[in-house]
Amino acid sequence: MVTGWFTGEGDGFRLLGTCCSACGSVFFPREDVFCRNPGCGGEELREVPLSRRGRVWSYTDARYRPPSPYVSDPELPWEPYALIAVELAAERLVVLGQAVPGVTVADLAVGMEVEVVPGVLHEDAGTTWTTWHWRPTGVTA
C-alpha cells in the first residue's frame, strides 16, 4: 500500500488527492509541496477524497510482465490484465488503474461508468499489498 493514496474499505474506499487552495487544481497522485499547475504559485494543498465513480476515457491490456519495481513471481505464468484510464469529471483529471480481476478489454467501452474498489496488487509471506482497481458499475466481482 502506498501511504496517503487511498483510504477506507468497501463502499467507503476512496482515492486521495490534493487540492490547491489558490487555484482549485486537483492532483493524483497527491502533491504535498507546491501546486503543479504552471499558472499558479500556490503552496497550500489540502487532502481531498476523489470521486468514487468516473467514465472510461481509454483502456488497453497488459500482455507482458513489466520490469522492476513491479512485483511479480517470474516462476509463475504471466496473467494479462486490463488497464483503464478513468475520467473523474468533478476533479477534471484522468486516473489510471487496473480493472478488477475477470474484467477484460472485451468487457470495456469508452464512456462506460466504473467505480473504484480496493484490490490486491501482490501477496507475499503474509503481507498483502493493497491497491485500487476499477470495476464497471453493476459488476459484483
Side-chain angles (χ1 to χ4, degrees):
M1 175 171 128
V2 178
T3 303
W5 282 34
F6 48 84
T7 189
E9 298 177 14
D11 289 342
F13 185 80
R14 301 289 285 270
L15 294 175
L16 296 173
T18 49
C19 179
C20 175
S21 297
C23 71
S25 294
V26 178
F27 304 104
F28 183 84
R30 62 184 301 125
E31 174 59 64
D32 292 311
V33 179
F34 61 89
C35 181
R36 293 191 303 239
N37 176 346
C40 179
E43 294 180 358
E44 184 180 326
L45 297 132
R46 69 185 188 288
E47 183 175 274
V48 293
L50 302 182
S51 300
R52 288 198 68 239
R53 293 183 176 200
R55 300 234 171 241
V56 173
W57 183 76
S58 185
Y59 58 93
T60 190
D61 57 354
R63 297 212 159 262
Y64 65 93
R65 187 184 312 270
S68 183
Y70 187 86
V71 178
S72 69
D73 185 342
E75 301 298 318
L76 297 175
W78 176 249
E79 301 267 342
Y81 57 86
L83 286 170
I84 309 174
V86 176
E87 181 177 23
L88 303 177
E91 292 85 357
R92 299 183 325 196
L93 67 110
V94 175
V95 177
L96 184 66
Q98 291 183 359
V100 293
V103 170
T104 69
V105 293
D107 303 314
L108 300 171
V110 170
M112 170 186 280
E113 186 179 59
V114 293
E115 60 190 345
V116 69
V117 295
V120 173
L121 179 63
H122 182 69
E123 293 179 290
D124 181 18
T127 301
T128 299
W129 302 93
T130 307
T131 188
W132 67 93
H133 286 159
W134 294 107
R135 177 178 66 194
T137 55
V139 173
T140 57

